[in-house]
């Protein structure tokens, strides 16, 4: 185990808020403690112009869970900030503060916040805000059921929140009559508009238009760097956990996926070294699927599990704390017992159901639709992951590997065009997905000059063996952000914020407050 801290500049931070993203079913925000939620979408007008937009804000009453007081907030914000009139979407945030059992009233609206407390509810105290930006894109923030982990630690100083913004689900997207209309809508759900949502809410929530601290996990960190690029005046400080995006002009989706495939190969090697017995299990499973009628077996929801579809299970299993173990235990139950002699080998319903639960594309389609676009600035992705995979087909060919009884390599964050044929819930989104892959006019997500002259205190946890955010590319980005303080470690994987309790949060806060050394 090794880790080191690096100081590239000098700053300091004070409050936290967590926010939800456009298209997600919920958002989280922490503020010292108040939180708010936001969505993904592109920026069309200057941040200052947003103050002229009329906000609809409904705040609920306080309610409680163990050791926390919560209140929900709902905001109505424009889908397209550049349009003088048009569609709106709802942003839900949950405000969360620390409190004792006798003072905890409950959730309100769509924003969840956490408030600082020393044994007393602090619903009425003026606390700094911590905005929490969840990973994704398209995944909601976890709902708090108690004060624990990093959230408990954050509530000692801040308010936090989560939300239920207008969700983009397979069923809600079915309201569009054409794929072109769907793409026109979806283009407003990237980091640039997430930042506009955050600023919109900050100016209507934080007293006197005060600043707040942003905590960005994974893709939430990408959004936070976009925030630093286009609206740093709203930021008190920024904490990044596994969330330094590729920002260089030459850092295209192709560059990202080439680097990603290299780390995926390494993670596969580690997995099969940990569980060598699973190499045969996966080979047998791939051979079974390849010989099945139609090249796969039906999934419970109506799709089909094929050899290459099976490989996508690496997205959930190879890159997070405890993922290796959970994946191994799934493979332990891949086959049904042969209760009647002669019936032959069959894949268990348990495994098929577990596979669908892990992939989650049916409930969170925004990830599949927009994942490649988060790396696009002024150029199309053109199914970048599929293109890069084809260059490594000798390594990632599942049927060829299984025939030779060579370890079948699983994949990771890559989205491939054929999943829109194999995952039943995504079939209706196939045409829109292809249009998005060809879209050329994606707006810039980062301002390198602004980042080079950054004045906002920033601390970032960089995970050395991160499978989702490449270490080398992350370090290149860090060199572009003036004043950033880095903590590089191999003690945690991409899910370190969740897995470490409060250690990662404490480390970053300590670095910003001068309580932790920077080397």
């Amino acid at each position: 185990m090794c880790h080191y801290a690096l100081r590239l500049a000098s700053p300091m931070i004070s409050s936290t808020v967590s926010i939800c993203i456009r298209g997600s079913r919920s958002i989280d925000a922490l503020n010292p403690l108040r939180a708010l939620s936001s969505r993904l979408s592109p920026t069309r007008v200057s941040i200052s112009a947003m103050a002229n937009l009329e906000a609809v804000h409904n705040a609920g009453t306080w309610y409680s869970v163990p050791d926390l007081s919560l209140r929900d907030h709902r905001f109505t914000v424009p889908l397209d900030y550049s349009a003088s009139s048009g569609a709106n979407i709802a942003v839900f945030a949950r405000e969360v503060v620390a409190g004792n059992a006798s003072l905890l009233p409950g959730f309100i609206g769509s924003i969840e916040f956490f408030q600082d407390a020393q044994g007393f509810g602090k619903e009425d105290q003026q606390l700094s805000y911590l905005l929490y930006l969840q990973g994704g894109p398209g995944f909601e923030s976890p709902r708090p059921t108690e004060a624990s982990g990093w959230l408990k630690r954050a509530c000692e100083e801040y308010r936090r929140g989560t939300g239920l913004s207008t969700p983009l689900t397979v069923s809600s997207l079915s309201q569009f009559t054409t794929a072109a209309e769907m793409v026109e809508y979806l283009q407003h759900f990237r980091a640039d508009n997430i930042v506009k949502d955050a600023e919109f809410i900050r100016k209507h929530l934080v007293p006197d238009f005060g600043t707040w601290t942003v905590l960005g996990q994974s893709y939430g960190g990408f959004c936070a760097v976009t925030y630093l690029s286009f609206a740093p005046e709203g930021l008190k400080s920024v904490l990044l956990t596994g969330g330094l995006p590729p920002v260089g002009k030459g850092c295209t989706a192709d560059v990202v996926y080439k680097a990603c495939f290299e780390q995926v190969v390494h993670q596969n090697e580690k997995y099969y070294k940990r569980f060598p017995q699973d190499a045969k299990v996966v080979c047998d499973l791939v051979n079974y699927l390849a010989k099945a009628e139609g090249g796969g077996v039906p999934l419970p929801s109506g799709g089909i599990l094929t050899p290459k579809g099976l490989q996508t299970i690496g997205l959930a299993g190879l890159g997070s704390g405890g993922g290796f173990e959970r994946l191994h235990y799934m493979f332990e139950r891949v086959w049904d017992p042969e209760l009647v002699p002669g019936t032959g080998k069959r894949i268990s319903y348990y495994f098929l159901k577990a596979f669908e639960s892990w992939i989650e594309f049916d409930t969170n389609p925004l990830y599949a639709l927009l994942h490649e676009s988060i790396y696009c600035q002024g150029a199309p992705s053109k199914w970048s992951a599929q293109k890069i995979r084809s260059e490594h087909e000798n390594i990632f060919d599942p049927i060829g590997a299984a025939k030779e009884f060579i370890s079948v390599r699983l994949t990771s964050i890559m989205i491939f065009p054929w999943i829109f044929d194999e995952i039943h819930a995504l079939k209706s989104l196939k045409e829109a997905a292809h249009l998005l892959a060809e879209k050329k006019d994606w707006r810039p997500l980062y301002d390198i000059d602004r980042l080079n002259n950054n004045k906002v205190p920033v601390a970032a946890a960089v995970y050395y063996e991160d499978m989702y955010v490449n270490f080398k590319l992350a370090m290149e980005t860090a060199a572009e952000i003036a004043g950033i303080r880095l903590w590089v470690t191999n003690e945690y994987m991409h899910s370190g914020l969740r897995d470490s309790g409060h250690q990662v949060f404490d480390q970053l806060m300590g670095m910003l407050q001068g309580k932790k050394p920077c080397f």
Side-chain angles (χ1 to χ4, degrees):
M1 176 182 72
C2 70
H3 56 77
Y4 63 90
L6 173 64
R7 175 178 178 172
L8 300 183
S10 72
M12 213 182 110
I13 93 171
S14 57
S15 71
T16 48
V17 169
S18 82
I19 185 171
C20 219
I21 303 174
R22 291 190 178 205
S24 302
R25 288 177 294 169
S26 69
I27 20 185
D28 286 353
L30 242 98
N31 114 13
L33 263 154
R34 295 192 186 277
L36 71 79
S37 76
S38 164
R39 57 186 179 159
L40 304 168
S41 76
T43 309
R44 293 288 189 278
V45 296
S46 67
I47 295 297
S48 60
M50 295 194 310
N52 298 321
L53 296 172
E54 182 179 356
V56 176
H57 174 204
N58 294 313
T61 57
W62 290 98
Y63 61 102
S64 66
V65 299
D67 297 324
L68 297 174
S69 291
L70 308 98
R71 181 169 62 171
D72 296 344
H73 299 257
R74 284 182 170 82
F75 296 86
T76 299
V77 300
L79 171 68
D80 182 355
Y81 283 92
S82 66
S84 57
S85 62
N88 294 322
I89 64 171
V91 174
F92 171 88
R94 180 170 293 121
E95 180 177 6
V96 182
V97 299
N100 60 28
S102 63
L103 295 175
L104 295 179
F107 287 89
I108 298 182
S110 35
I111 298 181
E112 174 180 17
F113 299 96
F114 297 89
Q115 183 174 9
D116 179 12
Q118 301 297 329
F120 302 93
K122 295 192 176 182
E123 298 85 351
D124 297 326
Q125 293 190 8
Q126 294 296 319
L127 299 171
S128 299
Y129 280 82
L130 175 76
L131 171 65
Y132 174 69
L133 294 172
Q134 172 70 4
F139 285 89
E140 63 273 15
S141 239
R143 271 71 162 182
T145 58
E146 62 180 0
S148 61
W150 71 267
L151 178 58
K152 180 179 181 180
R153 175 64 183 85
C155 286
E156 295 174 3
E157 302 178 37
Y158 302 98
R159 293 181 181 269
R160 176 210 176 202
T162 65
L164 291 170
S165 300
T166 299
L168 294 185
T169 63
V170 172
S171 56
S172 66
L173 289 172
S174 68
Q175 298 170 34
F176 294 103
T177 57
T178 69
E181 290 176 351
M182 189 185 301
V183 169
E184 174 64 26
Y185 191 86
L186 290 172
Q187 69 175 327
H188 300 289
F189 286 78
R190 295 203 308 159
D192 42 2
N193 274 336
I194 293 176
V195 171
K196 287 196 170 187
D197 289 340
E199 278 295 272
F200 187 98
I201 296 174
R202 180 185 66 85
K203 293 179 179 181
H204 290 88
L205 188 66
V206 181
D208 301 320
F209 291 171
T211 58
W212 56 16
T213 293
V214 169
L215 169 59
Q217 159 64 19
S218 188
Y219 178 64
F222 288 26
C223 298
V225 176
T226 300
Y227 213 147
L228 285 169
S229 295
F230 298 118
E233 64 276 7
L235 299 172
K236 190 172 192 176
S237 55
V238 171
L239 307 174
L240 306 173
T241 56
L244 278 167
V247 302
K249 291 182 180 179
C251 201
T252 63
D254 287 359
V255 172
V256 171
Y257 287 118
K258 283 180 181 179
C260 182
F261 270 109
E262 294 175 3
Q263 186 60 35
V264 171
V265 170
H266 179 57
Q267 292 298 108
N268 273 273
E269 292 172 349
K270 288 168 57 181
Y271 177 78
Y272 286 119
K273 185 176 182 180
R274 177 91 63 85
F275 300 107
Q277 65 271 42
D278 287 354
K280 182 179 185 305
V281 173
V282 178
C283 283
D284 288 346
L285 180 54
V286 167
N287 285 326
Y288 181 93
L289 294 171
K291 294 175 182 177
E293 184 178 354
V297 301
L299 288 165
S301 66
I304 183 173
L305 179 61
T306 66
K308 60 186 179 182
L310 174 67
Q311 290 176 288
T312 63
I313 202 172
L315 170 64
L318 294 182
S320 60
F324 281 16
E325 292 76 16
R326 295 194 302 273
L327 186 58
H328 169 68
Y329 296 140
M330 276 183 62
F331 285 134
E332 279 188 336
R333 296 186 60 180
V334 68
W335 305 112
D336 270 336
E338 189 173 336
L339 304 180
V340 179
T343 55
K345 182 179 288 188
R346 295 182 181 179
I347 300 177
S348 69
Y349 179 85
Y350 170 88
F351 181 83
L352 296 174
K353 186 67 175 177
F355 171 82
E356 288 194 318
S357 297
W358 265 37
I359 298 302
E360 294 187 306
F361 290 150
D362 56 342
T363 55
N364 299 80
L366 192 67
Y367 184 90
L369 286 166
L370 288 183
H371 185 266
E372 289 204 349
S373 78
I374 69 176
Y375 304 116
C376 295
Q377 301 184 79
S381 71
K382 290 186 174 293
W383 293 116
S384 176
Q386 178 64 30
K387 178 171 60 177
I388 303 304
R389 175 186 172 134
S390 66
E391 298 173 2
H392 298 79
E393 196 59 34
N394 60 322
I395 298 175
F396 284 92
D397 173 20
I399 297 177
K403 285 181 178 179
E404 299 296 326
F405 285 96
I406 300 171
S407 298
V408 175
R409 290 185 171 91
L410 308 178
T411 57
S412 175
I413 62 172
M414 306 82 171
I415 298 298
F416 306 106
W418 42 261
I419 70 169
F420 291 87
D421 294 311
E422 298 185 0
I423 304 299
H424 178 71
L426 297 182
K427 289 182 178 180
S428 63
L429 309 178
K430 178 180 177 179
E431 186 179 354
H434 284 290
L435 291 176
L436 286 165
E438 296 297 326
K439 184 175 171 60
K440 300 178 180 179
D441 56 345
W442 294 112
R443 291 180 176 269
L445 295 172
Y446 312 104
D447 185 329
I448 302 299
D449 289 339
R450 183 73 70 90
L451 295 175
N452 289 167
N453 292 283
N454 172 62
K455 304 298 182 184
V456 178
V458 181
V462 182
Y463 306 120
Y464 185 75
E465 295 191 328
D466 197 323
M467 187 180 73
Y468 306 106
V469 179
N470 181 263
F471 174 76
K472 180 176 180 292
L473 297 181
M475 295 299 286
E476 290 176 359
T477 294
E480 299 286 0
I481 303 176
I484 191 172
R485 296 180 175 189
L486 297 180
W487 179 48
V488 179
T489 179
N490 68 352
E491 185 175 357
Y492 301 106
M493 299 179 73
H494 187 72
S495 55
L497 180 65
R498 179 192 68 210
D499 299 336
S500 70
H502 55 77
Q503 184 172 341
V504 169
F505 183 82
D506 281 346
Q507 175 71 31
L508 297 183
M509 289 291 292
M511 290 168 66
L512 287 180
Q513 295 171 347
K515 298 177 181 178
K516 297 283 185 179
C518 295
F519 302 100

